[in-house]
Amino acid sequence: MARLKGKIALVTGAASGLGLRMAQRFAGEGARVLLTDVNGPGAVAAAAEIGPDAAGFAHDVTSEAQWIAAIAEAKRLFGGLHILVNNAGIGTPGSVEDTSLESWRHVHAIDLDGVFLGCKHAIPLIRETTRADGGRGSILNISSIAGVIASGRMAAYNSAKAGVRHLTKSVALHCASKKDAITCNSIHPTFMDTPILDNFQAAGVTKEDVKAKLGRQVPLGIIGDPDDVAWGAVYLVSDEARFVTGAELFIDGGISAM
């Protein structure tokens, strides 16, 4: 349908999982995409599979210098930027008592500081690009249902993802106040069938066992597929969502309804 024809996107954490699927769907809808990841070779390989309208770039989202370089790379390769997806993130389990200060800071550095840096440094180029071509831009921050519903065993992750949720609203209002044609929204997924599920596997437990166990915590009885998030992302960064900003899309199988 080419819903993103003419758009230029940067997706972080795109060597695998949700980031990769979003990049694939964006490219399939006509966008040119820069896939960034701390796993630089993985991002380059993933981009090569997508085709000539994609490129990969090594990128640690906790580094301000690397954010500046990634934004500059999007401009160098594609001439500007319309879409930023802040997807890179980690989830480290631990209660408030079990979590070390080092672990707390590490989770926040990736999951929250990385989103702040991305928004801060992408907005000027998105503004420049959209004002030059008369189009509109969008920032999409991947939070989590854990940023809305807390767990006693995920203190740092809950805090960081809740921060992403509210930062998104602040960015949306800032862009609106500047009369920029830039929206900012967040997506809040629950368990998804991505490589991160490997972290849940114990000896003698299959991935299907893990999926079934997690699915029992979801009203719909199953966990999500990366496409469930990717298609939601396509909508929110497309011109179809031009009047949607500061909003949250829960892709959680009904968990938030309980």
Side-chain angles (χ1 to χ4, degrees), residues 17-57:
L18 297 181
L20 174 57
R21 188 59 59 87
M22 286 186 282
Q24 291 169 333
R25 292 304 181 198
F26 288 2
E29 293 293 327
R32 289 172 288 169
V33 188
L34 181 62
L35 291 76
T36 79
D37 202 287
V38 69
N39 174 9
V44 171
E49 290 188 7
I50 291 174
D53 286 332
F57 191 72

Side-chain angles (χ1 to χ4, degrees), residues 192-215:
M192 292 287 154
D193 188 2
T194 67
I196 201 170
L197 291 188
D198 296 340
N199 298 331
F200 291 86
Q201 285 185 240
V205 178
T206 68
K207 188 173 181 178
E208 292 306 311
D209 291 334
V210 172
K211 289 165 62 175
K213 180 178 180 180
L214 295 175

Side-chain angles (χ1 to χ4, degrees), residues 14-214:
S16 63
L18 297 181
L20 174 57
R21 188 59 59 87
M22 286 186 282
Q24 291 169 333
R25 292 304 181 198
F26 288 2
E29 293 293 327
R32 289 172 288 169
V33 188
L34 181 62
L35 291 76
T36 79
D37 202 287
V38 69
N39 174 9
V44 171
E49 290 188 7
I50 291 174
D53 286 332
F57 191 72
H59 178 199
D60 177 351
V61 297
T62 68
S63 165
E64 186 166 24
Q66 290 191 31
W67 261 113
I68 293 169
I71 299 299
E73 183 72 355
K75 184 173 184 178
R76 184 187 73 82
L77 288 174
F78 301 128
L81 188 66
H82 299 91
I83 297 165
L84 170 67
V85 179
N86 284 305
N87 168 73
I90 61 169
T92 302
S95 71
V96 66
E97 290 189 277
D98 298 334
T99 301
S100 67
L101 181 57
E102 179 183 18
S103 178
W104 172 270
R105 287 175 171 168
H106 182 56
V107 171
H108 281 77
I110 296 172
D111 290 6
L112 183 54
D113 296 354
V115 175
F116 158 73
L117 290 170
C119 294
K120 176 179 177 64
H121 290 292
I123 285 172
L125 182 56
I126 298 175
R127 178 186 295 128
E128 175 188 310
T129 305
T130 55
R131 287 184 178 178
D133 66 14
R136 60 169 295 275
S138 54
I139 296 172
L140 181 60
N141 296 326
I142 307 304
S143 178
S144 169
I145 200 61
V148 181
I149 299 171
S151 162
R153 300 183 301 277
M154 298 292 289
Y157 188 69
N158 285 153
S159 172
K161 290 300 188 179
V164 170
R165 181 190 190 195
H166 226 55
L167 174 60
T168 297
K169 298 177 186 301
S170 179
V171 171
L173 293 173
H174 167 73
C175 292
S177 73
K178 293 292 185 181
K179 306 303 181 186
D180 292 325
I182 304 172
T183 58
C184 186
N185 297 289
S186 58
I187 284 182
H188 299 260
T190 187
F191 311 114
M192 292 287 154
D193 188 2
T194 67
I196 201 170
L197 291 188
D198 296 340
N199 298 331
F200 291 86
Q201 285 185 240
V205 178
T206 68
K207 188 173 181 178
E208 292 306 311
D209 291 334
V210 172
K211 289 165 62 175
K213 180 178 180 180
L214 295 175

